[in-house]
Amino acid sequence: MMHPKWLDASVPKFLLVGVGNTLLSAVLMFALEGLGYWPSTAIAYAAGAVMSFFLNRRFTFHSQETLARSAVKFALNVAVCYILAYSLAQPAAGWVLGHTALSQIWRERLTKIAGMGLYTVLNYFGQRFFAFQARTPRQP
């Protein structure tokens, strides 16, 4: 039985798609920051996720799953990664930035950036090994 490599040729493609996705998400997130932490990040990630789904499904991971099945798995992955990343980023950044002279708005912005980084790592592995996992032939 062959074990998958953790990092392969999909990484540069995922990062390329991620650059576009991150730019779109960041612009929306900061444009909507008046809505607050959770609404601004949720709206931004929903928009970026749509773009990411189609590009990563075909370009990065060459998924053969049905559109419906891969969409459900992708949505579940995005939701779990988003909740984990941004839930972990808030207390971690609060602990790191809590005793700095930064304004509240800059603390929140840096927290969002930390959440973006954590989300990217979690999302890569979730997409690769869950959402767009290559099917292995069944043994007779």
Side-chain angles (χ1 to χ4, degrees):
M1 181 170 150
M2 182 173 231
H3 295 288
K5 293 180 190 175
W6 286 95
L7 302 173
D8 65 7
S10 65
V11 173
K13 291 179 180 181
F14 182 83
L15 292 174
L16 181 62
V17 169
V19 167
N21 181 26
T22 299
L23 290 174
L24 173 64
S25 295
V27 166
L28 286 172
M29 187 184 311
F30 293 119
L32 300 172
E33 68 187 1
L35 298 176
Y37 182 81
W38 288 106
S40 66
T41 59
I43 293 166
Y45 271 81
V50 171
M51 182 177 91
S52 179
F53 171 75
F54 289 105
L55 291 175
N56 281 326
R57 183 172 185 270
R58 286 289 177 214
F59 174 68
T60 305
F61 298 111
H62 309 286
S63 177
Q64 299 300 311
E65 290 267 14
T66 65
L67 185 64
R69 182 172 168 84
S70 60
V72 168
K73 289 168 66 176
F74 179 85
L76 180 60
N77 176 66
V78 166
V80 168
C81 291
Y82 168 76
I83 291 167
L84 277 174
Y86 284 89
S87 293
L88 293 172
Q90 269 190 317
W95 181 74
V96 171
L97 301 172
H99 301 291
T100 65
L102 292 171
S103 68
Q104 180 59 33
I105 191 71
W106 277 102
R107 287 183 195 171
E108 188 170 299
R109 287 174 179 164
L110 291 172
T111 301
K112 288 176 181 178
I113 291 169
M116 290 167 76
L118 184 54
Y119 174 86
T120 299
V121 172
L122 294 171
N123 191 34
Y124 170 75
F125 289 108
Q127 285 188 39
R128 176 155 179 227
F129 294 110
F130 174 66
F132 301 125
Q133 181 181 22
R135 290 188 196 184
T136 55
R138 293 183 185 219
Q139 298 296 325

